[in-house]
Amino acid sequence: HNFGGNVLFLKPCSRQVFLPFIDEHFPQLAKKYHERYDRMAYLSGDYPQRIRERIENVRRRYGFNKNNAAPEPELWPKDEQLELFSG
């Protein structure tokens, strides 16, 4: 198992879709999103750092290790799968 997270970033192609969506469906939030993302894709400063720290705290608390390999799908028992390739 793995766990991760990050703050929103809006590159130009996604900004063109996301900000009009916010304007239409969440007008009460539009001003803040435009202030943060009209000129840059990534947030900087204290907020992203706090989120990184919170994610790391959750990872430590629940035993998630950054070095965990991606889990292998359990489609077939490993020993039967290996038998397909034996001579």
Side-chain angles (χ1 to χ4, degrees):
H1 296 99
N2 206 341
F3 177 79
N6 202 351
V7 296
L8 177 68
F9 63 93
L10 291 175
K11 292 191 175 184
C13 59
S14 56
R15 183 183 308 133
Q16 291 174 356
V17 175
F18 185 78
L19 291 179
F21 174 83
I22 293 296
D23 293 340
E24 181 179 343
H25 297 284
F26 300 95
Q28 71 279 14
L29 302 175
K31 180 180 177 188
K32 287 187 178 188
Y33 275 96
H34 282 280
E35 288 171 354
R36 287 166 177 81
Y37 292 104
D38 273 348
R39 289 172 276 135
M40 62 186 136
Y42 297 91
L43 293 180
S44 61
D46 186 51
Y47 178 72
Q49 181 58 38
R50 286 192 332 243
I51 296 300
R52 282 191 290 274
E53 290 169 1
R54 288 179 182 182
I55 295 293
E56 189 55 37
N57 287 340
V58 169
R59 293 175 64 77
R60 272 196 305 273
R61 181 180 306 136
Y62 294 101
F64 294 108
N65 182 342
K66 287 182 179 181
N67 298 324
N68 282 349
E72 292 183 28
E74 295 183 22
L75 300 176
W76 306 278
K78 290 181 182 181
D79 53 338
E80 289 181 21
Q81 179 69 20
L82 291 176
E83 289 176 11
L84 292 173
F85 301 102
S86 62

